[in-house]
């Protein structure tokens, strides 16, 4: 099954979600969907985005993101937003996020060998398993104990979203289509093959890595590295995990790498890209593209400059006015520089989504 099948499934699922009243209510206050005013809920979200919380790029995690952001002092955040309006919007964001996270957990339950996943990446308190701040879309132990692998669709996502009977059927069907597309992907096949080649020695190596991670990521070890700052604690988690993965070899390393590929596919396609389509609709078309550079080899990264004065954030989906790149691009980095010669220069890096040029992403 080609990558096109994944993007088609993502687009179909996004269409269904976008028609739900609670999703529309949530999306209406997102800064990119509201022009003009910088007051109220929209203004508060703008300032949180400017302060480093990528709410625009990962909107389906907004409920969690704003809680982390409220612990950080943003000047003026409290001045022009009614607490009643804010509380109501956050409650809506929480509902959308809860349904989304259950859908992701259900999709992950289709991974080969689930729920017995020996990957070190989901050991206790890694970036994928922590209950603290993380840039990743985390796994939670209670999800693997919920029996999602025995359910034909996410069990309560539709009721959380307030779907009617027709919408409930559409949510279930598009979730199954997404699952089928993921299970037919090269990433899924690689993980299945890697699991089959795990022998006793490889499983012991993975178990030893998980044991070391529990020790190195214990509350005492984390506090000794950084007692308070969430981003630094997240960075420490990622560095420690990287070191443990680098120490693996043979079938154990192949399994860990294959798990990374499959899990990142779920996060990118079924969360990041899906969220952009469900909450913002059409892909942004960029004109005035120049200085296009492609990374060598098999890399899917592209770098370009933009003359248009347009607000862009990492995670946003765009199409380039350039014959070299016909696929959709998911932005990963946006930087603005000022020089006497060029004035303001917006330099952007993005990930090309292979197969999206012929899929139903418009």
């Amino acid at each position: 099954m080609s990558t096109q099948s994944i993007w088609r499934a993502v687009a179909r699922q996004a269409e269904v979600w976008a028609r739900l009243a609670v999703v529309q209510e949530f999306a209406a206050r997102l800064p990119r969907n509201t022009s003009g005013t910088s007051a109220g809920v929209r203004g508060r979200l703008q300032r949180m985005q400017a302060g480093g919380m990528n709410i625009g790029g990962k909107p389906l995690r907004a409920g969690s993101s704003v809680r982390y952001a409220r612990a950080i002092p943003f000047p003026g955040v409290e001045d022009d937003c009614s607490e009643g309006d804010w509380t109501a919007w956050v409650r809506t964001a929480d509902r959308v996020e809860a349904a989304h996270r259950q859908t992701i957990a259900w999709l992950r339950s289709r991974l080969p060998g689930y729920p017995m996943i020996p990957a070190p990446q989901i050991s206790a308190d890694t970036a994928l398993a922590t209950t603290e701040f993380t840039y990743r879309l985390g796994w939670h132990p209670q999800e693997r104990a919920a029996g999602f692998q025995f359910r034909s669709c996410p069990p309560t996502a539709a009721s959380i979203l307030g779907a009617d009977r027709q919408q409930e059927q559409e949510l279930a069907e598009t979730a199954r289509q997404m699952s089928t597309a993921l299970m037919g992907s090269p990433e899924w096949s690689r993980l299945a093959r890697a699991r089959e080649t795990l022998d006793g020695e490889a499983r012991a190596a993975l178990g030893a890595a998980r044991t070391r991670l529990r020790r190195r990521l214990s509350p005492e070890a984390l506090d000794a590295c950084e007692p308070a700052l969430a981003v630094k604690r997240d960075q420490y988690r990622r560095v420690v995990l990287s070191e443990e993965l680098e120490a693996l070899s043979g079938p154990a390393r192949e399994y860990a790498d294959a798990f990374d590929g499959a899990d990142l596919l779920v996060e990118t396609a079924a969360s990041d890209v899906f969220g952009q389509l469900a909450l913002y609709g059409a892909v942004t078309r960029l004109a005035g593209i120049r200085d296009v550079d492609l990374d060598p080899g098999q890399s899917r990264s592209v770098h370009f400059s933009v003359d248009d004065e347009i607000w862009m954030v990492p995670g946003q989906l765009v199409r380039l006015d350039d014959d070299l790149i016909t696929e959709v691009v998911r932005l990963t980095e946006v930087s603005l520089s000022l020089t006497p010669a060029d004035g303001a220069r917006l330099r952007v890096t993005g990930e090309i989504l292979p197969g999206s040029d012929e899929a139903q992403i418009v």
Side-chain angles (χ1 to χ4, degrees):
M1 188 174 293
S2 69
T3 308
Q4 295 173 20
S5 300
I6 293 178
W7 304 132
R8 290 191 182 104
V10 168
R12 292 189 191 109
Q13 191 178 44
E15 289 175 1
V16 172
W17 278 59
R19 292 196 294 267
L20 297 170
V22 68
V23 174
Q24 293 174 353
E25 180 183 350
F26 165 66
R29 298 293 190 96
L30 294 173
R32 277 168 50 199
N33 288 334
T34 310
S35 60
T37 180
S38 294
V41 171
R42 179 178 186 266
R44 183 173 290 185
L45 291 173
Q46 280 182 321
R47 286 184 282 272
M48 288 179 175
Q49 177 80 33
M53 305 305 299
N54 191 15
I55 295 167
K58 299 184 184 295
L60 288 170
R61 305 184 217 173
S64 297
S65 295
V66 297
R67 284 180 172 77
Y68 293 123
R70 290 301 299 273
I72 305 171
F74 293 102
V77 166
E78 305 294 342
D79 293 343
D80 53 12
C81 182
S82 159
E83 283 305 312
D85 287 347
W86 177 253
T87 299
W89 184 86
V90 172
R91 189 179 298 116
T92 302
D94 285 341
R95 287 177 60 191
V96 173
E97 180 173 351
H100 174 59
R101 285 184 179 272
Q102 186 185 100
T103 303
I104 292 296
W106 181 82
L107 291 171
R108 284 169 167 166
S109 76
R110 273 52 197 160
L111 286 168
Y114 186 95
M116 305 304 291
I117 305 289
Q121 291 95 320
I122 54 174
S123 298
D125 226 4
T126 60
L128 274 175
T130 182
T131 57
E132 295 184 10
F133 170 81
T134 176
Y135 288 108
R136 296 298 309 275
L137 184 58
W139 289 57
H140 296 289
Q142 60 268 32
E143 292 173 348
R144 277 184 284 163
F148 288 147
Q149 68 272 27
F150 304 118
R151 306 298 294 265
S152 63
C153 64
T156 61
S159 62
I160 293 171
L161 292 169
D164 61 28
R165 184 176 294 275
Q166 178 63 34
Q167 292 168 333
E168 182 177 354
Q169 293 174 350
E170 291 174 340
L171 287 168
E173 181 58 29
T174 54
R176 285 191 286 267
Q177 290 172 356
M178 187 73 243
S179 171
T180 300
L182 289 169
M183 292 170 68
S185 68
E187 290 84 354
W188 233 259
S189 298
R190 181 188 178 188
L191 182 60
R193 291 192 302 269
R195 179 174 175 269
E196 291 174 357
T197 62
L198 287 177
D199 54 18
E201 182 179 354
R203 289 184 179 276
L206 292 170
R210 294 196 303 272
T211 298
R212 289 191 298 270
L213 282 166
R214 284 193 293 271
R215 173 176 52 82
R216 298 183 66 186
L217 296 177
S218 67
E220 295 78 14
L222 281 160
D223 289 344
C225 172
E226 172 50 57
L229 298 177
V231 172
K232 287 189 175 181
R233 287 169 72 89
D234 178 71
Q235 182 180 28
Y236 174 75
R237 288 185 173 94
R238 289 185 283 114
V239 168
V240 168
L241 177 61
S242 178
E243 291 173 351
E244 292 297 339
L245 295 180
E246 285 296 322
L248 296 174
S249 61
R253 178 60 183 270
E254 171 59 16
Y255 180 85
D257 289 347
F259 172 83
D260 263 342
D263 192 58
L264 280 170
L265 176 63
V266 175
E267 185 169 338
T268 299
S271 182
D272 295 343
V273 174
F274 165 71
Q276 294 294 309
L277 295 176
L279 298 176
Y280 298 118
V283 175
T284 302
R285 296 182 179 271
L286 296 181
I289 302 299
R290 56 186 173 87
D291 302 330
V292 178
D293 295 319
L294 290 168
D295 285 352
Q298 298 299 312
S299 172
R300 295 180 297 181
S301 292
V302 59
H303 313 270
F304 56 93
S305 297
V306 186
D307 289 335
D308 279 358
E309 293 184 1
I310 183 172
W311 181 39
M312 291 186 290
V313 298
Q316 189 171 348
L317 302 180
V318 301
R319 285 190 181 273
L320 309 186
D321 183 20
D322 189 287
D323 294 338
L324 184 64
I325 308 295
T326 59
E327 297 95 336
V328 173
V329 174
R330 185 175 72 96
L331 304 187
T332 56
E333 183 178 349
V334 180
S335 61
L336 178 66
S337 61
L338 297 171
T339 65
D342 299 330
R345 184 171 186 255
L346 196 63
R347 189 67 177 168
V348 182
T349 297
E351 173 192 15
I352 299 170
L353 304 182
S356 58
D357 50 343
E358 299 179 17
Q360 298 170 5
I361 300 180
V362 296

